[in-house]
Amino acid sequence: MSPGIVLEGVSKFYGEVLGINRVNLAIEPGITSLVGPNGSGKTTLMNVVTGLLRPTRGSVRVLGIPTDRPEELFRHVGYSTQFDGFPRGATGLSFVESFLRLHGHDAKRAREMALHAIGRVGLHEAARRRIAGYSKGMRQRIKIAQAIAHEPKVLVLDEPLNGLDPMARSETIALLEQMTAAGATVILSSHILHEVDLVSDRVVLFHHGYVVAEGDIQGVRGEMDEHPMQILIRCESPALLASKVFELDSVVEVTLNTDNRGLLLRTRDAEKFYALLSRLVLELDLGLELVTPADDDVASVYRYLIGGGGSTS
Amino acid sequence: MRSPRDFPWRTWASQVRTIVGIEARAALGGRSLVLLLLASLPVLLLGARALFGHGRTPAQIPEDEVIFAVLYRTLVLRLVVFFGCVVVFTRLFRGEVLDKSLHYYFLAPVRRGVLVTGKYLSGLLTALVLFVPVTAVSWLLLYVPLGAHELVTRVTSGQGIRHLLAYCTVTALACIGYGAVFTLSGAALRNPIVPAVGILVWESLNALLPPLLKKISVIYYLESLCPVPLPIERIAILATPSSPAVAVPGILALAAALLVATSYVVRRMEILYGTE
């Protein structure tokens, strides 16, 4: 499948301040999350991808279209930004509808599409109210409605879950999953890492304007040799298992749980460990209940690569 | 090379109409009170004169014409229309940058040149709707002290209606010319008020400038089209007024050139609200 978005050697400087530097990415259909601390370059990348910023160096193409051709680009791209401004006097409906008119839809069709999009983000009842009176979460949702109203193939969302209550969050996540199931390419940034984990097919980790890792999160975690993989095992005979796992040189540490019902081990080669465990399960009566990686989530990868406590903000 | 037929004129026209509609809604809020107050100045002044200035006779019509000529050039053109255009046209881009809402247009499938055209036309519509009626009403109020009969005669007579149409046309051309100037300054500069003041000084000094420099202004061409000459010309440096055949296309060409320049600026514009 051809990549939806291709960045080649893209840098963006604000005067002497670095936004992003030498970014090479090919983003495919599915959900790609941008993760990194504030000021790491996530929003800059999104603005460059949507033509709101011109790259200082390098080239960007979205579905093969250069970003300096808005008349072609935005037939296929929707972007919900972090900016909190809205056209003066606009209601939710007029806001979404007027931009659909710019797409060339007649008044009736634009109204239908706007109401459909507003319904998808759960704002139907507030559609005719002025945006100036909306709560933060409602403003966030009306921006998403505007971004999805024309059924874009590429959707870019900057912190889309910000300000949303838990119900609206799960509805938004379901909406993104529907769109990607239909073949859309979605890029989103979020500082809620466990939600990034839930929704993302791939992650791109940013730090100081550089891409420090990209790919599916397990793949990225697997390549981090300097941080042995942690695996949590719940079983009836953890001490017996612990005595056996040191057959492997790659196992560097084992910690028995205080309840004597499990252990946490660290290994440099998870594949070898899983093979050994399969053999031990057949040979010994371990009473195995659970085997699960303990640090192949976004938060752990983020902590190892960037530092901090697994929060991006 | 693409021929004009290859361009999607219908789509562009539809987008321009939509932009004018969106902008008209925005124009009704915020600064419309400032504009209304500004526009009401000549009407209030001439309205007061109409109320208290009874006893004028038809013999005094030439004197009234000169009064209006002075008032029109100083109050209407240089103050009301000029500053009205500053308010209306600089906010087209600058106002949206300050409101952090310009990016919505940049995220729509609209060529930046079409966006500039739509925004300029919306500003022009606002300016024309405000200032052309103000010009007409002010001119009519001038003749109210003569009584209803003389007022009707004045409006329906050849010379009277020619004067009225000429003043309204000059106001419209002022909106077109100054509108284009301030659309560009609003798009290109962070603080468009500074060039606005500079342009005002230049336009105000026009009467004292040498003939060649006079022509590098909008006011020279506008004043050339005014139907009644000013007595101030006795103390000003004289220059041959421009003929309508030069002045009208000149202002239109200037506006077109400035809009092309604005399109270039807006094509290169980035959304950097954080630095504003």
Side-chain angles (χ1 to χ4, degrees):
Chain A
M1 196 176 287
S2 66
I5 301 166
V6 178
L7 294 98
E8 290 175 341
V10 173
S11 300
K12 175 66 188 175
F13 289 84
Y14 304 97
E16 291 183 1
V17 177
L18 170 68
I20 50 176
N21 201 11
R22 283 176 265 163
V23 173
N24 292 291
L25 283 174
I27 298 173
E28 297 174 355
I31 299 179
T32 300
S33 292
L34 308 184
V35 179
N38 287 341
S40 60
K42 307 184 297 288
T43 298
T44 297
L45 181 101
M46 291 179 160
N47 287 349
V48 165
V49 161
T50 51
L52 294 187
L53 294 175
R54 275 175 290 113
T56 312
R57 276 196 296 272
S59 71
V60 186
R61 283 182 175 262
V62 179
L63 302 171
I65 305 165
T67 54
D68 60 357
R69 283 197 220 146
E71 67 276 19
E72 290 175 49
L73 186 70
F74 291 107
R75 301 237 168 251
H76 311 292
V77 176
Y79 182 19
S80 168
T81 67
Q82 265 200 75
F83 307 125
D84 206 25
F86 290 91
R88 285 184 186 204
T91 64
L93 180 60
S94 72
F95 170 60
V96 179
E97 193 181 347
S98 52
F99 286 92
L100 284 166
R101 295 296 306 276
L102 290 175
H103 280 260
H105 299 294
D106 63 37
K108 185 167 175 270
R109 179 78 183 125
R111 170 70 50 110
E112 285 169 3
M113 290 172 75
L115 286 172
H116 177 64
I118 291 170
R120 287 180 86 182
V121 299
L123 271 184
H124 205 281
E125 290 188 358
R128 287 174 172 81
R129 278 170 45 195
R130 283 183 180 243
I131 296 173
Y134 279 11
S135 68
K136 182 175 167 60
M138 291 164 86
R139 293 201 300 276
Q140 189 71 274
R141 282 189 279 165
I142 201 69
K143 284 193 285 185
I144 295 173
Q146 192 252 333
I148 64 170
H150 59 293
E151 302 285 346
K153 291 177 188 155
V154 173
L155 182 61
V156 184
L157 305 165
D158 199 352
E159 299 281 1
L161 306 175
N162 241 6
L164 299 186
D165 58 52
M167 179 67 85
R169 269 190 189 148
S170 70
E171 285 170 2
T172 304
I173 289 170
L175 176 67
L176 300 183
E177 285 169 346
Q178 278 171 26
M179 293 192 71
T180 50
T185 302
V186 176
I187 307 182
L188 64 88
S189 69
S190 177
H191 66 273
I192 304 166
L193 295 181
H194 73 272
E195 281 171 345
V196 169
D197 245 348
L198 279 177
V199 301
S200 307
D201 298 307
R202 284 170 300 280
V203 291
V204 179
L205 270 80
F206 278 87
H207 193 47
H208 291 320
Y210 289 87
V211 173
V212 291
E214 58 150 322
D216 69 89
I217 197 66
Q218 285 75 26
V220 172
R221 177 67 189 88
E223 287 174 19
M224 294 168 60
D225 296 335
E226 71 276 24
H227 293 283
M229 182 81 85
Q230 294 183 21
I231 299 170
L232 178 67
I233 299 159
R234 299 287 292 173
C235 65
E236 289 171 4
S237 311
L240 177 61
L241 178 59
S243 67
K244 297 289 181 186
V245 295
F246 283 109
E247 283 179 21
L248 295 175
D249 293 343
S250 52
V251 172
V252 295
E253 186 182 331
V254 175
T255 310
L256 290 175
N257 281 7
T258 51
D259 66 356
N260 208 28
R261 296 278 298 168
L263 58 85
L264 181 73
L265 69 82
R266 298 174 71 220
T267 174
R268 293 190 190 284
D269 192 336
E271 292 305 313
K272 273 190 184 169
F273 169 73
Y274 288 131
L276 171 69
L277 185 63
S278 301
R279 185 165 59 78
L280 292 176
V281 166
L282 295 174
E283 291 173 1
L284 307 169
D285 183 18
L286 293 173
L288 197 63
E289 294 168 11
L290 172 78
V291 180
T292 183
D295 67 345
D296 72 343
D297 57 354
V298 175
S300 302
V301 170
Y302 183 89
R303 191 170 62 244
Y304 292 146
L305 285 174
I306 297 171
S311 168
T312 66
S313 60
Chain B
M1 198 172 149
R2 295 172 84 186
S3 78
R5 277 188 184 183
D6 297 332
F7 292 109
W9 296 106
R10 205 175 268 189
T11 304
W12 291 349
S14 155
Q15 289 178 330
V16 165
R17 279 197 303 274
T18 305
I19 293 165
V20 170
I22 296 170
E23 294 295 312
R25 197 167 44 228
L28 293 175
R31 298 180 194 181
S32 52
L33 187 65
V34 177
L35 281 173
L36 287 174
L37 285 174
L38 197 60
S40 65
L41 282 178
V43 175
L44 288 175
L45 195 70
L46 286 160
R49 182 178 177 272
L51 273 178
F52 303 111
H54 296 295
R56 303 290 292 176
T57 62
Q60 291 172 301
I61 285 178
E63 191 184 317
D64 286 347
E65 284 178 346
V66 172
I67 289 172
F68 188 78
V70 172
L71 207 69
Y72 178 75
R73 291 172 209 221
T74 51
L75 186 65
V76 177
L77 268 188
R78 285 188 169 85
L79 185 74
V80 174
V81 176
F82 185 88
F83 281 108
C85 286
V86 171
V87 173
V88 169
F89 289 93
T90 55
R91 63 154 284 281
L92 293 176
F93 286 95
R94 197 70 213 149
E96 291 227 37
V97 170
L98 295 175
D99 287 348
K100 300 189 177 184
S101 58
L102 183 61
H103 63 280
Y104 290 114
Y105 279 119
F106 283 14
L107 297 175
V110 177
R111 287 172 75 104
R112 302 272 172 101
V114 172
L115 176 61
V116 169
T117 307
K119 277 185 162 280
Y120 172 75
L121 288 180
S122 75
L124 187 59
L125 192 67
T126 306
L128 292 178
V129 164
L130 271 173
F131 302 130
V132 173
V134 161
T135 305
V137 170
S138 303
W139 185 86
L140 289 170
L141 285 170
L142 183 76
Y143 298 107
V144 167
L146 293 170
H149 176 71
E150 278 303 324
L151 178 64
V152 172
T153 309
R154 193 80 194 125
V155 171
T156 51
S157 76
Q159 195 200 26
I161 197 77
R162 267 201 307 276
H163 281 194
L164 177 61
L165 286 177
Y167 281 122
C168 289
T169 305
V170 174
T171 299
L173 286 169
C175 294
I176 291 170
Y178 289 131
V181 170
F182 295 123
T183 301
L184 174 60
S185 67
L189 302 168
R190 282 190 179 191
N191 186 356
I193 299 303
V194 175
V197 171
I199 293 167
L200 179 67
V201 171
W202 179 258
E203 298 282 271
S204 301
L205 292 176
N206 188 264
L208 305 173
L209 294 174
L212 188 64
L213 289 180
K214 275 183 196 297
K215 292 174 183 172
I216 311 171
S217 69
V218 177
I219 201 77
Y220 165 75
Y221 298 97
L222 295 175
E223 290 191 334
S224 298
L225 295 168
C226 286
V228 179
L230 274 186
I232 199 170
E233 284 170 6
R234 287 175 209 146
I235 60 160
I237 297 170
L238 295 176
T240 315
S242 176
S243 76
V246 173
V248 176
I251 290 172
L252 296 179
L254 172 75
L258 291 171
L259 289 179
V260 169
T262 309
S263 295
Y264 176 78
V265 168
V266 173
R267 262 206 313 276
R268 301 191 59 76
M269 197 184 262
E270 296 184 300
I271 297 295
L272 289 164
Y273 298 142
T275 62
E276 300 299 330

